[in-house]
Amino acid sequence: MSKGLPPLNDGEIVLHDHVPSMGKFRKAALVAIAITLVPTVMFAVLWPDTLFGVVPLLLTCVVLVQERLTLGRYRAWITNQRVILQGGEEAPLWDVTEVTQRWAGVRLDGVNLRLAYVADTQALRDVIAAAHKAGAA
């Protein structure tokens, strides 16, 4: 049993333990910082004699630090019956129609859940497809 595993139903087994990828988080953070450089430069040009130029970059860094400190809240378990998020939210696995890749994660269509910072999207798709196939049999 995995440490921190949520209570499971009878006959339920964990097929995939989604732990957010630090590599995906770093890539998303770099993109966010790169996007923030545009308003930072604009603020620095508009107010050259003040510190207002660093406000957009400072705000982005604060948000990224907060996101990094709470990265564990994006953990999820995919079982043969349901998808269970770290916060206690869950959805039946058979309602998942498709796994759609998003900017920093994936969306499980049909149940309207998001998994953030997924390291291997294709492996997640394969697990859900195998669970659907096993459930149909």
Side-chain angles (χ1 to χ4, degrees):
M1 287 251 192
S2 175
K3 186 176 182 179
L5 190 66
L8 300 176
N9 299 331
D10 290 337
E12 190 173 23
I13 58 170
V14 174
L15 301 175
H16 182 73
D17 185 2
H18 165 64
V19 178
S21 167
M22 189 56 129
K24 290 285 184 169
F25 172 75
R26 283 187 189 125
K27 190 179 293 186
L30 286 174
V31 169
I33 290 172
I35 290 171
T36 306
L37 288 178
V38 173
T40 301
V41 169
M42 289 174 45
F43 276 41
V45 168
L46 288 173
W47 297 291
D49 296 337
T50 66
L51 293 176
F52 286 131
V54 298
V55 170
L57 196 57
L58 180 68
L59 290 175
T60 300
C61 290
V62 167
V63 169
L64 288 173
V65 167
Q66 179 270 333
E67 182 78 357
R68 171 58 188 101
L69 292 175
T70 59
L71 196 61
R73 70 179 174 202
Y74 296 119
R75 188 171 182 186
W77 296 270
I78 299 173
T79 70
N80 57 342
Q81 296 176 8
R82 59 193 170 146
V83 178
I84 307 166
L85 298 179
Q86 176 75 23
E89 188 177 353
E90 60 184 57
L93 187 62
W94 52 83
D95 288 347
V96 176
T97 56
E98 189 179 352
V99 178
T100 308
Q101 187 157 1
R102 293 289 178 225
W103 183 61
V106 297
R107 188 178 81 205
L108 304 177
D109 296 329
V111 293
N112 201 20
L113 289 178
R114 273 186 17 126
L115 299 179
Y117 312 116
V118 177
D120 190 358
T121 306
Q122 189 58 43
L124 184 65
R125 285 185 179 137
D126 293 343
V127 165
I128 291 175
H132 276 282
K133 200 178 259 189

